[in-house]
């Protein structure tokens, strides 16, 4: 149902699974990569404490992919990019089939911030959601204090024809059990088609 691999001008996305990711490299990145505390400050998971935790993360990606619940990918810069072939981060979308909505999510290693990879990945995933899966809406959100994500999301949502919907109260549940608001944006299929044709 979901594509196993997606390629953009600068990125290659492969299904998040133990088959596509070196476990040792992934554990190092998810546990102690320089800047990991900044990476995880505004996401719902904490740095991994064990390789078992990393393996379970990868296995969940494959299971949800096969069950049609989510298309999540490991992101690699392509040849010609700094860091080509290394894990840049992870991204994808969960699907609510009843609501016909894909909800985007991503995180990138700190050293790769500011390159526009988030927007490039989002454009490719929106195309899958709308052109391949015929969904009605692509949604994305960020913690209200996450300025870097806000800027990135606003740029690509605007480019893809979408808009800011507002602030959802108590929407995000973090690994430590705390609950936070989320700022949400959406793009409809008709808005996307108008913006990309």
């Amino acid at each position: 149902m979901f594509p196993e691999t997606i390629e953009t001008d600068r990125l290659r996305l492969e299904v998040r699974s133990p088959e596509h990711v070196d476990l040792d490299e992934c554990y190092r990145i998810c546990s102690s990569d320089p800047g990991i505390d900044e990476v995880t400050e505004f996401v719902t998971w904490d740095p991994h404490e064990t390789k078992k935790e990393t393996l379970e993360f990868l296995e969940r990606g494959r299971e949800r992919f096969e069950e049609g619940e989510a298309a999540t990918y490991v992101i690699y810069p392509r040849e010609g990019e700094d860091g080509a072939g290394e894990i840049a981060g992870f991204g994808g979308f969960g699907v609510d089939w009843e609501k016909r909505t894909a909800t985007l999510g991503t995180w990138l290693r700190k050293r790769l911030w500011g390159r526009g990879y988030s927007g490039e990945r989002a454009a490719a995933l929106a195309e899958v959601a709308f052109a391949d899966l015929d969904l009605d809406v692509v949604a994305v959100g960020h913690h209200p204090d996450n300025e870097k994500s806000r800027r990135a999301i606003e740029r690509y949502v605007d480019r893809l024809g979408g808009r800011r919907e507002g602030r959802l109260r108590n929407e995000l549940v973090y690994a430590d059990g705390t609950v936070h608001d989320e700022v949400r944006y959406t793009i409809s299929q008709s808005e996307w088609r108008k913006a990309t044709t």
Side-chain angles (χ1 to χ4, degrees):
M1 171 181 322
F2 306 127
E4 292 270 337
T5 302
I6 300 170
E7 289 194 347
T8 68
D9 290 343
R10 300 180 300 155
L11 302 173
R12 186 179 79 255
L13 285 64
E14 294 185 5
V15 176
R16 185 181 99 194
S17 71
E19 297 81 25
H20 294 119
V21 181
D22 179 271
L23 178 61
D24 292 332
E25 180 187 14
C26 189
Y27 171 66
R28 182 188 54 73
I29 291 167
C30 292
S31 66
S32 60
D33 200 49
I36 192 67
D37 290 331
E38 289 177 74
V39 169
T40 58
E41 180 179 7
F42 294 113
V43 296
T44 57
W45 59 276
D46 289 329
H48 294 182
E49 295 182 7
T50 65
K51 276 189 193 175
K52 182 178 186 287
E53 188 177 354
T54 303
L55 179 60
E56 289 169 353
F57 164 74
L58 296 173
E59 288 172 339
R60 264 193 325 276
R62 170 53 86 184
E63 288 166 10
R64 295 188 73 214
F65 186 91
E66 290 173 349
E67 292 168 6
E69 295 175 4
T72 56
Y73 300 90
V74 57
I75 301 168
Y76 296 104
R78 291 181 64 179
E79 190 173 329
E81 289 292 303
D82 180 32
E86 294 179 25
I87 295 172
F90 291 84
F93 57 77
V95 180
D96 184 328
W97 293 104
E98 287 183 19
K99 294 180 181 177
R100 302 191 43 77
T101 299
T103 302
L104 300 179
T106 196
W107 64 268
L108 295 168
R109 295 169 68 186
K110 185 179 178 188
R111 73 179 192 84
L112 300 173
W113 290 358
R115 296 185 183 188
Y117 287 167
S118 179
E120 191 167 325
R121 166 225 41 116
L125 294 175
E127 183 172 354
V128 170
F130 292 133
D132 297 347
L133 302 177
D134 195 31
L135 295 174
D136 293 336
V137 173
V138 167
V140 63
H142 65 80
H143 187 284
D145 296 336
N146 189 341
E147 281 299 307
K148 288 179 178 58
S149 286
R150 180 192 61 77
R151 287 191 302 270
I153 289 169
E154 284 180 351
R155 272 193 302 271
Y156 72 70
V157 165
D158 183 62
R159 195 170 57 247
L160 297 174
R163 65 180 182 219
R164 182 183 192 268
E165 296 291 353
R167 185 171 179 146
L168 302 177
R169 304 290 180 185
N170 287 2
E171 184 69 13
L172 300 172
V173 180
Y174 279 28
D176 65 3
T178 60
V179 179
H180 303 268
D181 294 351
E182 179 182 53
V183 179
R184 181 179 163 108
Y185 304 76
T186 62
I187 308 158
S188 72
Q189 185 177 145
S190 60
E191 290 166 340
W192 173 79
R193 290 193 182 281
K194 184 176 178 183
T196 58
T197 54

